[in-house]
């Protein structure tokens, strides 16, 4: 299988998959000084607005939170300060021709708290929710040059589904797990 890598065109899948080895520097989630909590109020989303690419507005946050039956927002809070230091959003995707899947829509960690395992913990929170809700799988669209995200997702069990110049898809397949439960 050939995949496209942004810096050098076509590349064998093994070249891209070699990036999937997670670094040993991740901290155990049990040792992290954070709490991960589900966010259900727009005011709390705004409190963590610094974590987003573009700070959410009150109106957009309220509209998004109204969709909370299948939109799941989690924040990681610093235990010492109760300040939001990371977030993840999972969205259940329904289709007419396949079982429900969880899309990891967004993941962000405050720059001062990166490389501590917070992103990994947030991904696993969404992954655990997807399993709990009996999703057939989980997927995330991302840029192929986003090495930290690729390592984080791979460490939590994702594999590369497809990759192109500007986007790649990594997936978690839960079918075997859900058939056992």
């Amino acid at each position: 299988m050939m995949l496209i890598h942004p810096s050098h065109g076509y590349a064998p899948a093994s070249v891209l998959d070699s990036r999937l080895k997670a670094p040993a520097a991740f901290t155990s989630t049990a040792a992290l000084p954070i709490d991960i909590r589900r966010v259900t109020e727009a005011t709390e989303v705004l409190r963590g607005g610094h974590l987003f690419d573009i700070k959410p507005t009150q109106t957009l946050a309220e509209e998004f939170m109204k969709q909370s039956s299948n939109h799941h927002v989690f924040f990681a809070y610093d235990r010492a300060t109760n300040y939001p230091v990371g977030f993840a959003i999972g969205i259940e995707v329904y289709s007419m021709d396949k079982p429900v899947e969880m899309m990891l829509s967004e993941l962000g960690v405050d720059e001062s708290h990166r490389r501590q395992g917070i992103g990994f913990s947030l991904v696993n929170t969404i992954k655990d929710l997807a399993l709990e809700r009996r999703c057939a799988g989980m997927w995330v669209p991302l840029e192929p040059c986003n090495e930290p995200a690729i390592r984080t997702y791979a460490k939590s069990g994702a594999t590369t589904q497809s990759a192109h110049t500007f986007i790649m898809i990594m997936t978690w397949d839960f079918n075997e797990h859900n058939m056992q439960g």
Side-chain angles (χ1 to χ4, degrees), residues 144-176:
C145 59
N146 191 341
E147 301 284 340
I150 291 167
R151 286 191 304 269
T152 298
Y153 301 145
K155 184 175 183 196
S156 73
T159 58
T160 302
Q161 180 68 27
S162 63
H164 303 283
T165 303
F166 299 109
I167 191 166
M168 70 185 291
I169 305 292
M170 295 183 75
T171 62
W172 295 255
D173 185 1
F174 302 147
N175 282 327
E176 185 177 310

Side-chain angles (χ1 to χ4, degrees), residues 16-181:
L16 293 178
D17 289 341
S18 69
R19 299 180 301 172
L20 300 180
K21 295 182 176 83
F26 280 100
T27 307
S28 164
T29 56
L32 292 177
I34 61 164
D35 292 313
I36 296 177
R37 299 190 297 263
R38 186 171 192 148
V39 173
T40 58
E41 300 294 326
T43 53
E44 193 62 18
V45 171
L46 297 176
R47 188 169 163 249
H50 64 283
L51 298 168
F52 292 82
D53 295 330
I54 299 170
K55 191 171 182 172
T57 66
Q58 179 77 32
T59 303
L60 290 175
E62 287 173 357
E63 283 298 313
F64 187 88
M65 298 312 288
K66 285 180 188 175
Q67 308 299 319
S68 63
S69 65
N70 68 333
H71 288 61
H72 311 283
V73 181
F74 290 90
F75 275 13
Y77 296 88
D78 184 296
R79 276 195 196 122
T81 63
N82 199 38
Y83 188 70
V85 296
F87 81 104
I89 298 174
I91 299 174
E92 291 174 64
V93 178
Y94 293 85
S95 180
M96 298 295 284
D97 64 340
K98 58 183 93 125
V100 66
E101 298 177 317
M102 183 72 72
M103 176 182 69
L104 178 57
S105 171
E106 294 195 59
L107 175 68
V109 177
D110 186 84
E111 195 169 329
S112 66
H113 287 76
R114 291 183 182 161
R115 298 201 49 81
Q116 298 178 38
I118 295 170
F120 174 75
S121 297
L122 286 160
V123 169
N124 280 334
T125 298
I126 298 291
K127 182 176 145 184
D128 291 346
L129 176 67
L131 286 164
E132 177 186 308
R133 296 183 66 98
R134 303 190 60 77
C135 292
M138 188 166 101
W139 56 279
V140 60
L142 68 153
E143 296 169 337
C145 59
N146 191 341
E147 301 284 340
I150 291 167
R151 286 191 304 269
T152 298
Y153 301 145
K155 184 175 183 196
S156 73
T159 58
T160 302
Q161 180 68 27
S162 63
H164 303 283
T165 303
F166 299 109
I167 191 166
M168 70 185 291
I169 305 292
M170 295 183 75
T171 62
W172 295 255
D173 185 1
F174 302 147
N175 282 327
E176 185 177 310
H177 183 277
N178 284 336
M179 291 176 138
Q180 296 171 2

